[in-house]
């Protein structure tokens, strides 16, 4: 299969949905590539209690004239105007007659690749039932029984309270919600929330749902204990430590933007985010970016940026500039959120010498001490060279040591050789992992 589009949108979260719908409404031929089986991204996963905005945008997306490749991901962009997509591992094998890969030709490319949770290593963090806050929430939405289970929610960021509220509504017992940030650090963010009735009502609703839970600032997990699974977690606050019995630890230290594809394409990054102009165009001609990769700012900002990009690609620059003026106010919330979620330097001391940092390759902290940088660590320890390609340990290493990946090479995700074959190639060619 070879598809030709005016614009290919990578990601079907809020930013991707808004961009795709807006561009399609302007008469452009739109293709959307998303690695989830259904649109909505991580934040708007299917469920019975989706917010009204989610239902509205997903309905518009379903009605739009858009070619959808759900369960696919971009693994390479071999030349300008061409992207190579591969079906997810979960999708491969369901239809043996379908090709594993396809080429997408485009005039414009919009990156709406979202973000992922940041994990920090500490003793016991690899125990079963120690999970990302968003990851546990997704599993519960997918059917994991949580009623009657004790769940400690810890880390930093507004996701913690949202996850705790959802789990509590499903019958979980939440003994503690622990945020590493101080009240003083949170104050500017609280002021921003007070100016936005929607966010204020949402936050108040979450806190009311979790009113039986202790909400602790300046608090974080220092270790998780258990045998075949998690049994308890040790928390620290102002130098004092205590243990809490629990069945799950939902732990996430805010979000990390997914910028790998943007880096592969040569887009300029600033402070870890994709740099764009007011109309969401990157430093590379005909490549645009919207949503969390440009700065963690929430659903409203992502929707706004997606619409701006969709209008700009369609040549409706006056409408795009009008929306861009409204984006400036939304950016103030993103900046306050960034400052509130800045990590406490004490968190660098959580991992001990034999604590695993790279879960894919079982690399311990001790093996990384003394390395000159990310490349040196990869060459000598294989840290970051497993299936996740450093998406988990890379963010941890950046916080622990100040290392940053100095290059991104294709494929962006682990890929199959068959995904790179020409469309007319024999579909029975043996599949080999790259």
């Amino acid at each position: 299969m070879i598809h030709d589009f005016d614009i290919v949108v990578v990601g079907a979260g809020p930013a991707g949905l808004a961009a795709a719908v807006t561009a399609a409404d302007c008469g452009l031929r739109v293709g959307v590539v998303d690695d989830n089986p259904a649109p909505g991204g991580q934040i708007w996963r299917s469920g019975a209690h989706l917010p009204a905005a989610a239902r509205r945008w997903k309905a518009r997306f379903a009605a739009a004239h858009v070619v959808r490749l759900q369960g696919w991901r971009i693994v390479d962009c071999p030349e300008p105007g061409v992207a190579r997509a591969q079906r997810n591992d979960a999708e491969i094998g369901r239809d043996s007659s379908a090709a594993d890969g396809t080429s997408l030709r485009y005039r414009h490319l919009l990156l709406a690749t979202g973000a992922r949770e940041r994990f920090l290593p500490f003793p016991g963090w690899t125990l079963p039932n120690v999970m990302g806050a968003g990851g546990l929430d997704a599993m519960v939405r997918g059917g994991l029984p949580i009623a009657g289970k004790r769940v400690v929610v810890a880390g930093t960021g507004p996701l913690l309270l949202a996850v705790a509220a959802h789990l509590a509504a499903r019958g979980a017992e939440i003994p503690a919600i622990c945020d590493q940030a101080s009240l003083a650090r949170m104050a500017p963010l609280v002021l921003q929330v007070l100016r936005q009735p929607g966010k204020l009502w949402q936050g108040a609703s979450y806190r009311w749902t979790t009113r039986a839970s202790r909400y602790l600032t300046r608090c974080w997990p220092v270790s998780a204990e258990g045998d075949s699974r998690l049994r308890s977690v040790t928390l620290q606050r102002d130098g004092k430590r205590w243990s809490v019995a629990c069945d799950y630890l939902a732990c996430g230290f805010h979000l990390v933007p997914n910028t790998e594809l943007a880096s592969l394409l040569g887009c300029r990054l600033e402070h870890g985010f994709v740099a764009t102009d007011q109309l969401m165009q990157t430093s590379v001609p005909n490549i645009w970016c919207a949503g969390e990769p440009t700065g963690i700012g929430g659903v409203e900002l992502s929707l706004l940026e997606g619409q701006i990009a969709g209008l700009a690609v369609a040549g409706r620059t006056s409408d795009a500039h009008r929306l861009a003026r409204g984006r400036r106010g939304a950016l103030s919330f993103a900046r306050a959120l960034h400052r509130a979620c800045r990590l406490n330097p004490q968190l660098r001391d959580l991992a001990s010498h034999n604590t695993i940092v790279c879960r894919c390759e079982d690399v311990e902290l001790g093996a990384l001490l003394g390395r000159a940088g990310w490349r040196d660590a990869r060459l000598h320890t294989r840290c970051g060279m497993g299936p996740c390609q450093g998406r988990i340990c890379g963010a941890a290493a950046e916080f622990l040591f100040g290392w940053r990946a100095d290059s991104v090479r294709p494929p962006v995700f682990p890929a199959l050789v068959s995904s790179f074959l020409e469309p007319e190639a024999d579909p029975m060619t043996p599949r080999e992992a790259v």
Side-chain angles (χ1 to χ4, degrees):
M1 297 183 293
I2 298 181
H3 302 284
D4 292 279
F5 299 100
D6 294 316
I7 178 172
V8 167
V9 178
V10 185
L17 291 181
V21 168
T22 302
D25 287 348
C26 293
L28 300 186
R29 179 165 170 77
V30 181
V32 176
V33 182
D34 186 67
D35 57 4
N36 291 306
Q42 299 300 319
I43 194 167
W44 283 349
R45 285 177 176 269
S46 298
H49 303 289
L50 286 175
R55 296 193 299 271
R56 185 165 57 251
W57 278 102
K58 291 178 79 169
R60 290 184 64 184
F61 182 70
H65 187 64
V66 173
V67 176
R68 306 169 183 84
L69 278 78
Q70 295 288 163
W72 290 70
R73 56 175 41 149
I74 301 294
V75 295
D76 189 17
C77 293
E79 60 183 277
V82 178
R84 192 68 184 165
Q86 171 189 283
R87 288 191 297 164
N88 278 354
D89 292 343
E91 302 297 322
I92 294 174
R94 291 185 180 179
D95 182 1
S96 59
S97 64
D100 294 331
T102 186
S103 291
L104 307 175
R105 300 191 183 278
Y106 58 85
R107 291 174 49 231
H108 301 273
L109 182 68
L110 173 67
L111 307 177
T113 45
R116 60 186 182 272
E117 289 185 273
R118 177 192 279 116
F119 303 104
L120 298 181
F122 53 85
W125 79 294
T126 58
L127 278 172
N129 290 4
V130 178
M131 307 174 69
L136 179 58
D137 185 61
M139 292 186 68
V140 171
R141 291 179 187 275
L144 177 71
I146 201 68
K149 303 293 185 181
R150 289 170 57 88
V151 184
V152 172
V153 181
T156 198
L159 180 64
L160 300 183
L161 190 58
V163 168
H166 177 248
L167 299 181
R170 295 292 186 96
E173 180 183 348
I174 314 293
I177 305 168
C178 310
D179 197 312
Q180 60 90 39
S182 66
L183 282 175
R185 183 66 62 80
M186 290 182 179
L189 180 63
V190 174
L191 290 176
Q192 289 289 332
V193 171
L194 291 175
R195 297 181 186 131
Q196 301 182 49
K199 283 186 170 60
L200 179 61
W201 172 256
Q202 187 180 55
S205 174
Y206 289 155
R207 190 64 189 106
W208 175 256
T209 304
T210 59
R211 61 191 180 278
S213 307
R214 296 179 68 193
Y215 187 91
L216 303 172
T217 59
R218 308 185 313 281
C219 183
W220 53 80
V222 295
S223 65
E225 297 81 31
D227 36 52
S228 59
R229 66 173 180 85
L230 177 71
R231 300 293 179 180
S232 65
V233 58
T234 298
L235 302 174
Q236 175 176 302
R237 189 185 195 216
D238 297 335
K240 298 179 181 179
R241 296 187 177 186
W242 70 98
S243 182
V244 178
C246 58
D247 300 294
Y248 290 95
L249 171 59
C251 189
F253 291 86
H254 200 36
L255 301 174
V256 180
N258 294 321
T259 60
E260 291 79 12
L261 184 55
S263 295
L264 179 67
L265 290 162
C267 300
R268 181 168 57 88
L269 303 185
E270 289 182 355
H271 309 296
F273 296 100
V274 180
T276 68
D277 63 15
Q278 291 186 348
L279 299 187
M280 312 314 300
Q281 181 159 350
T282 71
S283 60
V284 179
N286 301 320
I287 297 181
W288 313 71
C289 190
E292 309 291 40
T294 70
I296 308 300
V299 171
E300 292 83 2
L301 181 58
S302 293
L303 288 170
L304 191 58
E305 291 183 347
Q307 293 174 81
I308 292 169
L311 289 169
V313 169
R316 293 175 53 179
T317 54
S318 60
D319 292 332
H321 277 294
R322 177 177 51 81
L323 287 182
R325 288 193 291 272
R327 174 175 174 258
R328 294 168 192 159
L331 287 175
S332 61
F333 175 81
R335 288 190 290 267
L337 180 61
H338 177 73
R339 289 191 292 269
C341 295
R342 193 173 302 158
L343 297 181
N344 190 315
Q346 295 182 57
L347 296 173
R348 293 192 177 96
D349 301 325
L350 293 182
S352 60
H353 196 80
N354 61 350
T355 300
I356 289 177
V357 175
C358 176
R359 301 178 67 155
C360 296
E361 297 293 333
D362 291 334
V363 180
E364 298 177 348
L365 176 68
L368 299 175
L369 297 175
R371 293 297 167 195
W374 184 240
R375 181 185 294 270
D376 183 39
R378 286 169 65 94
L379 290 174
H380 287 89
T381 70
R382 288 192 55 80
C383 182
M385 297 183 71
C388 88
Q389 292 291 284
R391 285 173 171 80
I392 303 300
C393 60
E398 181 179 352
F399 174 67
L400 293 173
F401 306 109
W403 298 342
R404 282 197 176 183
D406 51 10
S407 66
V408 176
R409 300 178 181 179
V412 179
F413 295 96
L416 304 175
V417 170
S418 56
S419 297
F420 292 88
L421 297 177
E422 293 301 319
E424 62 270 21
D426 181 1
M428 298 306 291
T429 301
R431 296 167 174 161
E432 302 175 40
V434 172

